[in-house]
Amino acid sequence: MSGVGALPGQPDRRVHQWPGCGRRRGRILQAEDPLLHEIPGAGAGFATTFGSLLADYTGEAVLLVPSARGDTSFHQKNGYSWDPANRTARVNLYDLAVRQIGNALAAASTGSRLAAILWHQGESDVPLTPPDVYRDRLDALITGLRDNFGEVPFILGQMVPEEIATGHPKYPGIAAVHATTPDRHSACAHVSGPDGMHNPGETIHYNSAGQREFGRAMFEAYRDLAGPSRSE
């Protein structure tokens, strides 16, 4: 989610970010990869592509709220956890995301609204969290976010297909939870990842072209849930 692909060219001036770290935290900035998540991202991600397409669709400026952290899981690891019920982690990333979204909405222009939540995670949970436990914690996260911000579209992205096929033997269990989440939640979509578009030499991350393709696919899923644009 935080991005690892090679950096693209000129950023889209309609797309901004609410940084999660750094000396300019608390200020609306231009969105450019790598985005400023809980720590700065490592490269290009899919959120900027999604943001540009959302700006086309709405005719409005877009504010991204980067809240990811690489190598994190629902299972507490290195002091981090995405589990909404975890009160012992040094950083509860669910709580951080709720604060960041709330602060971004408060700082944005009057009438701003949360358009969508993008979720791409699970690799670190594969060896640590049984699929049924992962499902319950993911469901709690979705429910909690919607309790705070309403039933906004929730878009899940598939882990890299080649990593699911050739990586740890427990990958298919977590991947199946992602794929069936729309069966448990309304206004929810699962997006298949592009084949053959992972980083050279490793299969856990999409390359920059894969990130862009993923962003387009996530937007198409969002558009199907949201309906016609205001101009249509």
Side-chain angles (χ1 to χ4, degrees):
M1 183 76 208
S2 60
V4 295
L7 296 179
Q10 187 70 24
D12 188 329
R13 295 298 175 185
R14 303 169 300 171
V15 183
H16 308 84
Q17 65 175 313
W18 183 254
C21 65
R23 60 184 176 83
R24 293 180 291 174
R25 186 176 181 183
R27 294 167 52 190
I28 294 175
L29 305 177
Q30 173 71 54
E32 54 185 328
D33 290 306
L35 294 173
L36 299 173
H37 292 266
E38 195 266 347
I39 60 173
F46 55 79
T48 47
T49 297
F50 182 96
S52 291
L53 293 170
L54 183 61
D56 290 340
Y57 175 78
T58 62
E60 300 174 352
V62 171
L63 179 59
L64 303 176
V65 186
S67 301
R69 170 90 188 205
D71 195 24
T72 57
S73 50
F74 283 102
H75 183 92
Q76 186 169 320
K77 182 180 181 184
N78 299 326
Y80 290 84
S81 174
W82 280 102
D83 181 3
N86 187 309
R87 298 297 99 194
T88 62
R90 180 171 59 85
V91 178
N92 185 295
L93 291 163
Y94 165 82
D95 289 345
L96 176 64
V98 169
R99 289 195 302 273
Q100 284 290 92
I101 296 168
N103 289 339
L105 288 171
S109 59
T110 302
S112 295
R113 64 203 181 279
L114 184 62
I117 299 168
L118 309 181
W119 182 258
H120 181 233
Q121 180 273 347
E123 296 89 349
S124 291
D125 271 300
V126 164
L128 299 172
T129 309
D132 58 338
V133 175
Y134 183 92
R135 178 199 62 216
D136 291 347
R137 292 176 179 174
L138 176 61
D139 288 350
L141 178 141
I142 295 171
T143 299
L145 289 170
R146 287 177 164 181
D147 285 346
N148 279 281
F149 303 109
E151 193 177 272
V152 297
F154 192 97
I155 316 298
L156 302 97
Q158 184 188 38
M159 298 176 290
V160 175
E162 290 82 2
E163 178 74 3
I164 296 171
T166 64
H168 194 285
K170 294 184 179 179
Y171 259 102
I174 300 298
V177 173
H178 292 155
T180 58
T181 299
D183 298 335
R184 303 188 304 278
H185 297 273
S186 59
C188 182
H190 174 260
V191 176
S192 297
D195 292 316
M197 301 185 80
H198 54 80
N199 267 342
E202 53 96 355
T203 57
I204 199 170
H205 298 117
Y206 294 104
N207 60 22
S208 56
Q211 298 278 9
R212 291 191 294 272
E213 179 61 30
F214 213 20
R216 284 190 288 270
M218 283 195 157
F219 174 76
E220 289 170 4
Y222 165 81
R223 185 184 58 198
D224 290 344
L225 291 173
S229 71
R230 293 182 177 183
S231 61
E232 293 177 325

